[in-house]
Amino acid sequence: MRSSKDFFRPLAVGAPQPVTEIPARPSRAIHFFDPSNEKMAAKIPQMVGTVDVLLGNLEDAVKADNKEAARAGLVRIAKDTDFGPTQLWTRINALDSPWVLDDLTTLVTEIGDKLDVIMVPKVQGAEDIHYIDRILAQLEARAGLDRPILVHAILETARGVANVEEICGASPRMQGLSLGPADLAADRRMKTTRVGGGHPGYLVRQDPDAETPDAPRATFQQDLWHYTIARMVDACAMHGIYPYYGPFGDIADVTACEDQFRNAFLLGCVGTWSLHPKQIEIANRVFAPSVEDIRHAREVVAAMGDGTGAVMLNGKMEDDASLKQCLVMVELAEQLSRIDPNLKAQYDAISTDSEV
Ligand SMILES: CCC(=O)SCCNC(=O)CCNC(=O)[C@H](O)C(C)(C)COP(=O)(O)OP(=O)(O)OC[C@H]1O[C@@H](n2cnc3c(N)ncnc32)[C@H](O)[C@@H]1OP(=O)(O)O
Ligand SMILES: O=CC(=O)O
Ligand SMILES: [Mg+2]
């Protein structure tokens, strides 16, 4: 076990000072692209500013024969593009793969100054994060970087879920976690064949009516991912890092995609992955508080004065705890307003309404 005094000392001579807090940068959509796919890669410069995070994916969904082209493509895109307010992330190959060492060495030394976060797949426990932490420090020192690259782990193995709290607390670099429902389903031997989302077979059925026991009974589909997302949210909150939903594979079903994203938002996630350009708009809308919520939250803040005691507002009791919930929403709206002029205009219009 590392001493708490050592936790914020660099892990290599010449490496940058570890961060003591993970900045709350808006990241409603982490948009995946394959840097070896020329059509996709060509679209990246024009996507800057339309999405909070662009992620050059090197792992699953990139063909084995294209791994090196994807890595080289990401280096080229990073060097040639001004990302402005948009963060640049990458997903490296798995730690047991033949590609990961070159992924890390090439990316950190060539474009480490452009990379905000490295996403690590199939993380099993703190030991995987310790490995990444040390090697990143060595490479950052070699590259002469002046700020540490942050680390994001995908929760996509049963062992990873069992170790989720220790993964979140394994390094001051830990920025957040994403749910990986496809690999997680396979690793758990769940009997599903989908990438995220619900399943019509996972349901509860209404009790039979005593008078008409043979009458049809309503069924209610349940959320397969509720348990894992809730565990992930608690582990992240405990360690001051950020939880994200992951992939929603049914690109055509924008309605169910929106529902899955909203469930994650309501449970505490700050964002999600986008696999196709059309999922960006859904994520940007869902992972921002609604105008109605902000209107209500501001009314509660105004009514609560010094923040203590209880008041009645529109027939409902508000107190210190409901005020804290409202402040979460108001702070998120303020952060998003700083980067999204459309949202700013919508939230600003509320003040005008209530002043009239
Ligand atoms: C499940 C576990 C995981 O690991 S999920 C994460 C890994 N998977 C991924 O990263 C998948 C990323 N997305 C994709 O590969 C593609 O979007 C897939 C799903 C294959 C669909 O591609 P395609 O059939 O070309 O879609 P389309 O014809 O509707 O595309 C329209 C135009 O948009 C482009 N496009 C597509 N996806 C992206 C993207 N992610 N980023 C940027 N551009 C994208 C297409 O190239 C196409 O362009 P054009 O109009 O032909 O010029
Ligand atoms: O990498 C994501 C997943 O769902 O698997
Ligand atoms: Mg996966």
Side-chain angles (χ1 to χ4, degrees), residues 105-152:
T105 313
T106 306
L107 296 180
V108 179
T109 51
E110 299 256 347
I111 55 166
D113 56 331
K114 290 275 189 105
L115 275 179
D116 292 292
V117 175
I118 292 182
M119 185 182 273
V120 185
K122 301 176 179 68
V123 170
Q124 302 274 21
E127 69 279 9
D128 288 341
I129 302 300
H130 294 159
Y131 169 79
I132 287 284
D133 203 6
R134 178 77 73 174
I135 197 166
L136 281 180
Q138 292 167 340
L139 292 167
E140 286 164 349
R142 180 187 284 180
L145 299 186
D146 56 13
R147 54 151 186 94
I149 298 171
L150 302 182
V151 170
H152 181 108

Side-chain angles (χ1 to χ4, degrees), residues 31-34 37 39-40 43-44 47 57 59-61 91 182-183 195 247 251 273-277:
H31 181 72
F32 275 58
F33 66 94
D34 173 353
N37 177 322
K39 263 166 110 184
M40 261 191 221
K43 294 203 157 41
I44 298 312
M47 294 178 85
N57 177 33
E59 201 225 8
D60 292 355
R91 177 169 80 168
D183 270 304
V195 175
I251 308 289
W273 298 5
S274 137
L275 304 183
H276 188 280

Side-chain angles (χ1 to χ4, degrees), residues 108-264:
V108 179
T109 51
E110 299 256 347
I111 55 166
D113 56 331
K114 290 275 189 105
L115 275 179
D116 292 292
V117 175
I118 292 182
M119 185 182 273
V120 185
K122 301 176 179 68
V123 170
Q124 302 274 21
E127 69 279 9
D128 288 341
I129 302 300
H130 294 159
Y131 169 79
I132 287 284
D133 203 6
R134 178 77 73 174
I135 197 166
L136 281 180
Q138 292 167 340
L139 292 167
E140 286 164 349
R142 180 187 284 180
L145 299 186
D146 56 13
R147 54 151 186 94
I149 298 171
L150 302 182
V151 170
H152 181 108
I154 312 179
L155 201 55
E156 55 182 349
T157 66
R159 186 147 86 81
V161 176
N163 292 331
V164 64
E165 288 87 5
E166 68 166 45
I167 291 170
C168 292
S171 159
R173 292 179 192 274
M174 281 301 298
Q175 179 274 345
L177 290 186
S178 287
L179 174 73
D183 270 304
L184 183 56
D187 195 60
R188 281 176 172 162
R189 304 190 69 73
M190 288 167 67
K191 307 303 180 288
T192 56
T193 54
R194 302 173 171 205
V195 175
H199 192 291
Y202 193 71
L203 51 78
V204 291
R205 188 177 299 269
Q206 194 179 34
D207 280 1
D209 183 77
E211 311 282 306
T212 52
D214 296 328
R217 289 143 64 188
T219 59
F220 305 91
Q221 201 171 316
Q222 307 290 295
D223 183 357
L224 281 171
W225 304 109
H226 178 83
Y227 156 77
T228 318
I229 295 178
R231 272 207 73 178
M232 180 177 78
V233 167
D234 283 346
C236 286
M238 170 181 166
H239 286 283
I241 69 174
Y242 301 102
Y244 299 77
Y245 179 71
F248 189 87
D250 191 345
I251 308 289
D253 191 350
V254 289
T255 306
C257 176
E258 175 163 343
D259 293 337
Q260 177 75 76
F261 287 1
R262 183 164 293 105
N263 288 349

Side-chain angles (χ1 to χ4, degrees), residues 14-65:
Q17 190 65 34
V19 290
T20 52
E21 236 175 86
I22 300 300
R25 294 184 71 181
S27 39
R28 294 164 288 181
I30 303 167
H31 181 72
F32 275 58
F33 66 94
D34 173 353
S36 72
N37 177 322
E38 283 178 15
K39 263 166 110 184
M40 261 191 221
K43 294 203 157 41
I44 298 312
Q46 67 227 40
M47 294 178 85
V48 167
T50 67
V51 62
D52 296 340
V53 179
L54 283 164
L55 179 146
N57 177 33
L58 307 184
E59 201 225 8
D60 292 355
V62 175
K63 286 181 87 59
D65 285 350

